[in-house]
Amino acid sequence: MASKQLHVAMYPWFAVGHLTAFIHLANKLAERSIRVSFFIPARTRSKVEHFNRHPDRIAFVPIPVPHVEGLPPGAETTSDVPFPLHSLIVTAMDETMPFCQASLERMKPDIVFFDFTHWLPALAREMGIKAVHFCCISSVTIGYLLSPARNEPEESDLYDPPPGFPASCIKLKKHEARGLFFVNMMEYGKGIRFMDRQIKAFMDSDAISFKALKEIEGPYLDYVAEVFKRPVFPAGPIVPEQPVAALDTRWASWLSKFKPKTVIYCAFGSECVLKLDQFQELVLGFELTGLPFLVALKPPAGADSAESALPDGFQNRVKDRGVVHGGWVQQQLILEHPAIGCFVTHCGSGSQSEALMNECQLVLFPQAGDQIINARMMGLDLRVGVEVEKDDEDGSFSKEGVCKAVKDVMEEGSDVGKEVRANHAKWREFLRSEGLDKKYIDGLVQSLQSMKA
């Protein structure tokens, strides 16, 4: 493949999930002799540098992030601040435009990959650089929430899909539509709403690429191409390379005490912070199952640590079979451990891929944003997992509901469990099929080469 001369730049949104998704794609391109210049906030570089498997072809370009009034000193990414301050992070990102422009003029890449910087395509076009919107959010979510066919949606419009949306079981509950409508309409950067920023980024790009497979998201990819009038390049599963490190001894030793496929593992990503009552109801639900469990969640709102927020007497009752940990864990390695039987996931993009690739059964517990649409697709369209039941109006859930969802997927005699286990096994086999990742990345590179020509 004649890709040796191709040079791409990448400028992902300042959020850990986006940065890691872009670096995983950069690794795939670098394997094909493509040179990558990767823009990254200066102080955040050390947090993702270990993902760079090809430092001879992937060069980090540290960005000095301007301080914006209202942000804590040194804040660079969304993980550094609570959600209400995310708009100030994107304001800081917008203020890097002069640095970005000067860097692109000096580097002269053929193509720049971006997502939240809606101003980047116009800037790149002035220099003869093509702009590809690499979207870490699923095509299902983009089509459902941001389709231009919605025009100026009201909150109630989000209950149902937009005009022309592919046939699907996906719908939103009242509390979900309320939350997503609020995000769409909120100011996200100076003088621009979240929805308008996203739509402009898609509309002004030269092409759109998703971490997606036609076999799973085909109709939704076609819908996005139709409504945004841009070519869409599916990049495939973009499976990260196996971690070099072994599983931490603490977790390897603890998990080894249990029989294969019996342990519940629960994690909701790097940003989710539950309310105290939700946090306690969740862990009480795991206690009710009678199964061993490992919970890796950030401390709930107002708590100093995850451990200090546990219900009275909880630790004594579950000390031999349950652990609640408030720090980071090696999720990919934990999911591959033979003791893990159930993954309770928030259905974020990265976790969604890891969930489908592994043998553990899936309980879907979306918290916000694209996670909700991802969960509906996995639970209702693909039928590979069971979603925890929540109240339509306020999104509340019970420990009994958590327990039921786990038992539905774990108990051998469950009809629901049989169905989701069979469907999950089918998709897992497909996703692990030899050459699948290579086929998609090779196809993406061919599309990039044709853009350069």
Side-chain angles (χ1 to χ4, degrees), residues 247-258 263 294 323 334 337 339:
L247 180 60
D248 186 281
T249 305
R250 173 187 178 184
W251 304 124
S253 175
W254 187 81
L255 288 168
S256 68
K257 298 189 300 183
F258 302 103
V263 178
L294 168 58
V323 173
I334 285 175
H337 194 282

Side-chain angles (χ1 to χ4, degrees), residues 84-377:
L85 297 185
H86 286 193
S87 179
L88 297 181
I89 294 289
V90 81
T91 298
M93 190 176 194
D94 288 344
E95 291 184 7
T96 67
M97 182 165 60
F99 176 88
C100 182
Q101 181 174 9
S103 299
L104 290 175
E105 286 174 343
R106 184 181 69 255
M107 296 171 186
K108 296 182 170 55
D110 301 296
I111 295 166
V112 59
F113 284 76
F114 76 104
D115 50 5
F116 278 31
T117 45
H118 63 297
W119 41 264
L120 192 51
L123 186 150
R125 198 164 293 121
E126 291 176 0
M127 295 179 255
I129 301 168
K130 299 293 187 181
V132 175
H133 189 310
F134 179 58
C135 190
C136 305
I137 298 167
S138 68
S139 64
V140 192
T141 300
I142 297 302
Y144 192 104
L145 295 177
L146 294 174
S147 171
R150 286 198 187 275
N151 198 5
E152 277 289 326
E154 298 293 331
E155 180 182 310
S156 59
D157 294 333
L158 296 184
Y159 297 163
D160 298 303
F165 193 74
S168 169
C169 299
I170 298 172
K171 291 191 174 186
L172 294 183
K173 297 178 179 179
K174 288 181 180 179
H175 74 275
E176 295 166 340
R178 188 184 314 125
L180 289 167
F181 180 78
F182 172 79
V183 171
N184 268 354
M185 296 300 157
M186 72 184 292
E187 186 176 72
Y188 217 65
K190 289 181 180 177
I192 185 167
R193 299 182 301 182
F194 179 89
M195 178 179 73
D196 299 328
R197 173 182 289 271
Q198 300 299 332
I199 290 175
K200 183 171 176 57
F202 283 107
M203 288 290 200
D204 287 0
S205 67
D206 294 295
I208 303 167
S209 182
F210 287 95
K211 177 185 171 182
L213 297 97
K214 291 179 182 177
E215 293 84 354
I216 293 178
E217 295 183 41
Y220 306 109
L221 293 165
D222 292 341
Y223 179 73
V224 169
E226 177 187 341
V227 296
F228 288 108
K229 298 178 172 52
R230 290 292 180 271
V232 170
F233 306 147
I238 313 184
V239 180
E241 296 181 36
Q242 282 294 106
V244 176
L247 180 60
D248 186 281
T249 305
R250 173 187 178 184
W251 304 124
S253 175
W254 187 81
L255 288 168
S256 68
K257 298 189 300 183
F258 302 103
K259 294 179 181 178
K261 295 182 171 52
T262 59
V263 178
I264 303 164
Y265 168 64
C266 173
F268 292 165
S270 61
E271 294 182 9
C272 176
V273 176
L274 297 174
K275 295 178 181 177
L276 178 61
D277 61 335
Q278 294 175 323
F279 179 87
Q280 294 187 339
E281 200 72 8
L282 177 64
V283 297
L284 287 170
F286 296 143
E287 181 186 4
L288 270 182
T289 67
L291 296 168
F293 57 87
L294 168 58
V295 178
L297 294 177
K298 296 188 78 168
D304 294 328
S305 68
E307 294 79 8
S308 68
L310 294 171
D312 291 341
F314 179 83
Q315 286 178 296
N316 285 333
R317 296 195 302 271
V318 303
K319 61 183 178 181
D320 295 326
R321 65 177 175 94
V323 173
V324 178
H325 178 65
W328 178 83
V329 295
Q330 300 155 293
Q331 178 161 293
Q332 191 175 348
L333 293 174
I334 285 175
L335 287 173
E336 291 172 356
H337 194 282
I340 300 296
C342 176
F343 181 21
V344 182
T345 172
H346 67 316
C347 301
S349 175
S351 294
Q352 181 183 18
S353 301
E354 291 175 336
L356 289 171
M357 295 286 286
N358 284 286
E359 293 188 11
C360 49
Q361 305 314 314
L362 305 179
V363 169
L364 316 173
F365 213 141
Q367 300 300 310
D370 61 313
Q371 303 160 14
I372 297 165
I373 307 293
N374 291 343
R376 294 294 130 79
M377 183 181 73

Side-chain angles (χ1 to χ4, degrees), residues 391-418:
D391 182 80
D392 183 56
E393 188 63 42
D394 64 9
S396 60
F397 60 90
S398 67
K399 57 182 181 290
E400 291 82 8
V402 173
C403 178
K404 181 180 184 303
V406 171
K407 289 195 170 184
D408 278 345
V409 299
M410 291 286 280
E411 290 185 348
E412 289 296 327
S414 163
D415 290 338
V416 173
K418 289 176 184 176

Side-chain angles (χ1 to χ4, degrees), residues 31-85:
E31 287 172 8
R32 289 151 177 84
S33 300
I34 293 174
R35 187 157 58 97
V36 180
S37 298
F38 197 100
F39 290 96
I40 188 163
R43 285 183 292 273
T44 303
R45 175 176 175 171
S46 61
K47 298 178 183 177
V48 299
E49 200 155 24
H50 63 284
F51 289 119
N52 184 356
R53 299 299 179 88
H54 303 277
D56 56 325
R57 297 195 187 101
I58 302 173
F60 286 115
V61 182
I63 308 164
V65 180
H67 177 71
V68 172
E69 186 177 353
L71 284 176
E76 289 186 327
T77 70
T78 55
S79 61
D80 296 328
V81 297
F83 178 74
L85 297 185

